[in-house]
Amino acid sequence: MSKGSLFIISGPSGTGKGTVCEKLIENENIFLSVSATTRNKRLGETDGVTYFYTDVDSFKNMIQNGQMLEYAIYNGNYYGTPKKAVEDMLEHGKNVILEIEPQGALKVKKLMPEAVMIFVLPPSISELRNRLTQRGRENSEEIEKRIAAAKWEISQSPKYNFVIINDDLARCVGETLEIIKSTNKKQQLIESLLKEI
Amino acid sequence: MSKGSLFIISGPSGTGKGTVCEKLIENENIFLSVSATTRNKRLGETDGVTYFYTDVDSFKNMIQNGQMLEYAIYNGNYYGTPKKAVEDMLEHGKNVILEIEPQGALKVKKLMPEAVMIFVLPPSISELRNRLTQRGRENSEEIEKRIAAAKWEISQSPKYNFVIINDDLARCVGETLEIIKSTNKKQQLIESLLKEI
């Protein structure tokens, strides 16, 4: 069995990367990475599936020991991606998707340089503003902050392996699936070449 | 006018990357980077076209000042890629190709992280050995050394933006041209998005 590959999917807030990921995991052998959190388990959630639940001390230890690929604090709770959980899935031949904002994405790439980085671009800034307005999570001031942040984020996109344009969801998901399939095929060839030497 | 893009084409010795590059520069707006050298100008060569000719002290100064993307010494002469020459071509909207062995390629990527890295894989190791034998430049001991080096080189290929398989030259060149065109198109979109903010 070939090792799976890690795909980091990133892009500005409102670019639709979450929806792309939801569609991707409907396909065979594509999984989202499971995050760790210090918040309490809620009804209907499963440890190791929804999240890995842990206490603050253990979480902080994992950060200090370089065992967290990235982490953030929301509402006083820690959330992060444990490196070992990702590596275990890869060892089992799974394709792992990590959906993450651009600043975190570049940090993860430093820790796992073999990760395939995919940046989701909006077709235009006015369209990005429309989407942020329509989802109605932020007020207009917060939306303009996110647009301003998008400037730095988009300027970083040439550092990614692939840049895809989310002008049409189905086309964008199709292009990403092609990247995943082609990466798997090449990974198999690389493994067979290395065995041949 | 959009800025051009830098493409680093690399791969094991004998993988056919040189031939791919020769075919690529037959296309509009694709140029090989011009190297600097300390060897003497030969009849029929042109300064700034064949090479930039320079003396050893100037060359060493450029290395120390971080002005050489990479360099090597052959037969007592220095050869290297001046960063400024590449940047000038990019500013003029040209697509620049840098054909370079894998160890140098990863160094250049650190200095120019926006470079698009393309790794050319052989279809099999036996085919790689055939090609090295057929071109007749190395004896069998040297060929086995190159095959052994290919192991590390191929293991580095997942760090590249794109991996292409040179099983058929025309197909391989076609795939690389698609990468160049698609990179240019995305670069234009990125520039227009950044202007819109």
Side-chain angles (χ1 to χ4, degrees):
Chain A
M1 188 186 60
S2 275
K3 245 191 100 175
S5 293
L6 175 63
F7 300 87
I8 300 176
I9 300 200
S10 194
S13 180
T15 200
K17 56 186 184 296
T19 318
V20 171
C21 291
E22 277 170 29
K23 292 281 171 198
L24 287 175
I25 58 168
E26 290 174 5
N27 292 276
E28 208 188 331
N29 206 28
I30 302 178
F31 298 87
L32 274 178
S33 79
V34 179
S35 298
T37 183
T38 59
R39 82 152 165 74
N40 291 326
K41 196 166 90 173
R42 293 179 193 152
L43 203 69
E45 293 184 348
T46 312
D47 192 15
V49 178
T50 325
Y51 283 105
F52 294 107
Y53 302 92
T54 180
D55 58 68
V56 176
D57 283 348
S58 310
F59 200 106
K60 285 185 177 169
N61 269 334
M62 289 178 79
I63 297 171
Q64 282 193 323
N65 298 329
Q67 292 164 357
M68 271 310 167
L69 285 177
E70 50 82 38
Y71 72 97
I73 304 171
Y74 295 111
N75 297 326
N77 293 310
Y78 285 79
Y79 294 83
T81 307
K83 194 175 177 189
K84 193 175 177 312
V86 170
E87 286 174 341
D88 284 351
M89 291 170 93
L90 297 176
E91 281 302 326
H92 285 86
K94 294 179 179 174
N95 290 307
V96 182
I97 305 279
L98 194 57
E99 184 211 332
I100 185 175
E101 45 70 44
Q103 218 150 3
L106 293 171
K107 284 182 196 160
V108 176
K109 177 73 176 173
K110 281 195 182 153
L111 293 169
M112 299 190 80
E114 70 285 10
V116 176
M117 307 265 288
I118 301 173
F119 195 95
V120 184
L121 274 182
S124 69
I125 298 299
S126 54
E127 178 57 25
L128 186 67
R129 190 176 279 113
N130 282 347
R131 291 181 193 172
L132 287 168
T133 309
Q134 272 162 23
R135 75 178 187 189
R137 275 189 237 155
E138 297 92 6
N139 64 32
S140 67
E141 194 188 332
E142 280 158 355
I143 287 174
E144 289 315 311
K145 264 190 202 165
R146 282 174 190 251
I147 298 282
K151 187 163 188 171
W152 177 82
E153 294 166 351
I154 292 172
S155 76
Q156 300 301 301
S157 64
K159 294 184 185 168
Y160 283 61
N161 298 68
F162 297 95
V163 175
I164 56 173
I165 303 162
N166 190 11
D167 45 3
D168 175 273
L169 180 64
R171 202 202 49 71
C172 184
V173 171
E175 197 176 331
T176 313
L177 277 175
E178 278 307 308
I179 292 171
I180 295 175
K181 280 183 203 164
S182 141
T183 301
N184 289 163
K185 200 182 120 197
K186 282 162 185 173
Q187 174 69 22
Q188 281 166 17
L189 175 62
I190 290 166
E191 286 179 20
S192 81
L193 288 172
L194 290 176
K195 266 185 208 151
E196 212 185 321
I197 297 182
Chain B
M1 187 186 59
S2 277
K3 246 191 100 173
S5 293
L6 176 61
F7 300 87
I8 301 176
I9 300 200
S10 194
S13 181
T15 200
K17 57 186 184 295
T19 318
V20 171
C21 291
E22 276 170 30
K23 292 284 172 193
L24 286 175
I25 59 170
E26 290 173 5
N27 292 276
E28 207 187 333
N29 207 29
I30 303 178
F31 299 87
L32 275 177
S33 79
V34 180
S35 298
T37 183
T38 60
R39 80 152 166 75
N40 290 327
K41 196 166 90 175
R42 294 178 192 154
L43 203 69
E45 293 183 346
T46 311
D47 192 14
V49 178
T50 325
Y51 283 105
F52 295 105
Y53 301 91
T54 181
D55 57 68
V56 176
D57 283 347
S58 310
F59 201 106
K60 285 185 176 170
N61 269 334
M62 288 178 79
I63 296 171
Q64 284 193 321
N65 299 329
Q67 292 164 359
M68 274 306 169
L69 286 178
E70 49 83 37
Y71 72 97
I73 304 170
Y74 296 111
N75 296 326
N77 294 311
Y78 285 80
Y79 294 84
T81 307
K83 192 174 179 188
K84 193 175 177 313
V86 170
E87 285 173 341
D88 284 352
M89 291 170 94
L90 296 177
E91 281 302 325
H92 284 86
K94 293 178 179 174
N95 290 307
V96 182
I97 306 278
L98 195 55
E99 183 210 333
I100 185 174
E101 45 71 43
Q103 216 151 5
L106 292 172
K107 284 183 195 159
V108 175
K109 178 72 176 174
K110 281 197 182 150
L111 292 168
M112 298 189 80
E114 70 284 10
V116 176
M117 306 264 288
I118 301 173
F119 195 95
V120 184
L121 275 182
S124 68
I125 299 298
S126 53
E127 178 58 24
L128 186 67
R129 189 177 278 114
N130 281 346
R131 290 182 192 171
L132 287 167
T133 309
Q134 271 164 24
R135 75 179 187 188
R137 275 189 236 155
E138 297 92 5
N139 63 33
S140 65
E141 192 187 334
E142 281 159 354
I143 287 175
E144 290 313 312
K145 265 190 202 164
R146 283 175 190 253
I147 298 281
K151 188 164 188 171
W152 177 83
E153 294 166 349
I154 292 172
S155 76
Q156 300 301 301
S157 64
K159 294 184 186 167
Y160 283 62
N161 298 67
F162 298 95
V163 174
I164 55 173
I165 304 163
N166 191 10
D167 45 2
D168 175 275
L169 181 64
R171 202 202 48 72
C172 182
V173 171
E175 196 177 330
T176 313
L177 277 175
E178 278 308 309
I179 293 171
I180 294 175
K181 280 183 203 162
S182 142
T183 302
N184 288 163
K185 201 181 120 198
K186 282 161 186 175
Q187 174 68 22
Q188 281 167 18
L189 174 62
I190 290 167
E191 286 180 21
S192 82
L193 288 173
L194 291 176
K195 266 185 209 150
E196 213 185 321
I197 299 182

